Amino acid sequence: MSEQQALLPWLAAPLAQGLALRAHALLLHGPGAVGQFELGLALATGWLCEADDSTLRPCGHCASCHLMAAHMHPDFYLLLPDALREPLGWHGADEEGVRAGKAKPSKEIRVEQVRAAIDWGHQTMSRERAKVMLIHPAQAMNPTAANALLKTLEEPAGRLRLVLTAHDPEALLPTVRSRCQRLPLDRPPAPRALEWLATAGVTRPEVLLAASGGQPLEALAMATDGIDSDAWEQFPGAVRRGLAALVADWTLVRLVDALQKLCHDLMCLRADAAPRYFSAAVLAPLMQPRAPPWPALAQWAQDLTRAAGHDEHPWHAGLRSEALVGQGARLWQTARSRQPAASGPLDTLSAR
Ligand SMILES: [Zn+2]
């Protein structure tokens, strides 16, 4: 297999499984960043591969595999929200709706995009094997767009096969779900993920693998975005002290995500459960001399959910970061100010 198509090591087994399935519509589902997109591409490459020996597909050497690697295969169609084209490195300038200079790329797969894809599906096959449409992520289709796809999912034209990805199949219309054969893709075993991250140059990969909830692609994306293991471990202490300098270069999306994970883990510790995203050793000082009160944590969780729902405001990112970190720091101020009232009713509440 060529370097460009080097498969994530934990995808070999699900790829073999998927290639053996005969269904014309497959739904790849599992946690967000473990490689559904990469698996979808590999399946498409395998189905389109022109190697004589079917056990070697995708071979990485035939004309079809080269066309896939160059993002130029005429029998492959990628249906993506415009907002994902840049991050995934697929610039489908030929696709309707992608125009240079457009204000903000859409996070949705629009109905016009689906209609253009369906039209493509009815065109004659260019090469000999099949036609493949990859829809990533399928939950980006709004109900109108998803409904437009139903007939194609039910009876694809000619030798068209479809691959849909979703982190949560329940987020899809039942009519879409029921027309697809499912192929689950779970988090890879930690040793395999850690080895891959180390090879990719991530230092102390166990820190970022935990930070990403066991999703290696997300862990790598964090490192690429400048959040290394040291920064992740310094983050809880910086929040407590209200120091926004550490996160000055983080995007708001990353910052809110990190705050939500910190909030989650502090709640775990208050409930005598193990933290998930930070190590217990890193969090221990934050529970001294007294842990943040439970009601304050619950309120913080709600505020962060709201913050996560808002779009990024690039012009005010710096101020917004400071405000978010400051809000986190107040948790401990609350804990201090309530300390004298140790026997009051508030304390009973906060000790839960
Ligand atoms: Zn091939």
Side-chain angles (χ1 to χ4, degrees):
M1 204 175 256
S2 75
E3 201 181 316
Q4 266 173 303
Q5 289 165 297
L7 193 66
L8 296 166
W10 58 89
L11 295 184
L15 174 62
Q17 203 186 339
L19 287 173
L21 295 173
R22 300 258 66 93
H24 56 247
L26 273 189
L27 173 59
L28 312 182
H29 63 93
V34 297
Q36 286 110 327
F37 179 67
E38 289 74 9
L39 180 57
L41 278 183
L43 276 169
T45 311
W47 285 330
L48 294 170
C49 173
E50 291 159 7
D52 291 332
D53 183 348
S54 65
T55 61
L56 294 178
R57 295 176 198 155
C59 72
H61 303 295
C62 69
S64 173
C65 284
H66 283 303
L67 284 168
M68 275 303 284
H71 300 187
M72 288 174 67
H73 203 299
D75 292 328
F76 175 71
Y77 198 99
L78 179 59
L79 200 46
L80 273 183
D82 292 344
L84 279 184
R85 292 198 170 274
E86 184 83 42
L88 292 176
W90 280 78
H91 301 280
D94 53 338
E95 191 162 324
E96 197 184 322
V98 183
R99 293 178 202 92
K102 225 173 121 185
K104 195 173 179 180
S106 170
K107 290 180 180 170
E108 281 199 339
I109 295 176
R110 300 178 313 278
V111 67
E112 313 85 75
Q113 286 177 282
V114 171
R115 291 201 183 111
I118 293 170
D119 287 347
W120 170 86
H122 283 103
Q123 290 164 19
T124 319
M125 218 158 64
S126 296
R127 299 184 69 86
E128 59 187 81
R129 300 272 314 152
K131 292 178 76 164
V132 184
M133 187 190 298
L134 172 59
I135 306 176
H136 174 79
Q139 68 264 13
M141 291 188 288
N142 62 33
T144 317
N147 274 315
L149 187 73
L150 288 182
K151 197 166 173 300
T152 304
L153 268 181
E154 180 92 39
E155 293 177 68
R159 282 152 76 183
L160 174 64
R161 304 184 78 167
L162 295 100
V163 188
L164 287 72
T165 70
H167 60 76
D168 177 14
E170 300 306 310
L172 303 179
L173 291 182
T175 41
V176 168
R177 266 198 320 266
S178 65
R179 284 165 168 79
C180 300
Q181 186 166 0
R182 294 190 188 197
L183 182 62
L185 179 61
D186 208 348
R187 291 170 179 80
R192 190 169 263 188
L194 291 174
E195 193 188 335
W196 179 78
L197 284 167
T199 308
V202 176
T203 49
R204 293 199 296 140
E206 64 283 358
V207 175
L208 290 189
L209 189 62
S212 67
Q215 303 177 72
L217 296 179
E218 170 69 2
L220 183 61
M222 290 175 76
T224 309
D225 285 354
I227 304 178
D228 60 15
S229 300
D230 289 344
W232 188 254
E233 290 191 334
Q234 289 159 11
F235 178 71
V239 172
R240 179 180 188 164
R241 295 195 302 279
L243 303 175
L246 178 75
V247 303
D249 295 332
W250 298 15
T251 64
L252 282 177
V253 174
R254 286 257 174 248
L255 174 59
V256 172
D257 177 65
L259 290 168
Q260 285 184 305
K261 285 169 174 170
L262 176 58
C263 181
H264 169 277
D265 277 6
L266 290 172
M267 285 176 145
C268 285
L269 287 178
R270 285 228 56 149
D272 289 327
R276 180 172 183 197
Y277 303 105
F278 296 90
S279 73
V282 161
L283 294 177
L286 275 74
M287 309 305 278
Q288 303 297 331
R290 207 179 139 176
W294 187 263
L297 281 172
Q299 181 62 51
W300 194 35
Q302 279 184 21
D303 293 343
L304 289 171
T305 304
R306 256 196 305 279
H310 289 301
D311 261 342
E312 314 95 274
H313 300 289
W315 300 287
H316 304 296
L319 287 174
R320 184 94 180 100
S321 296
E322 281 180 32
L324 284 164
V325 171
Q327 185 184 35
R330 281 198 293 281
L331 285 180
W332 285 272
Q333 292 158 12
T334 316
R336 255 201 314 279
S337 64
R338 281 188 184 163
Q339 211 159 11
S343 56
L346 258 180
D347 189 67
T348 321
L349 195 65
S350 68
R352 265 194 287 187

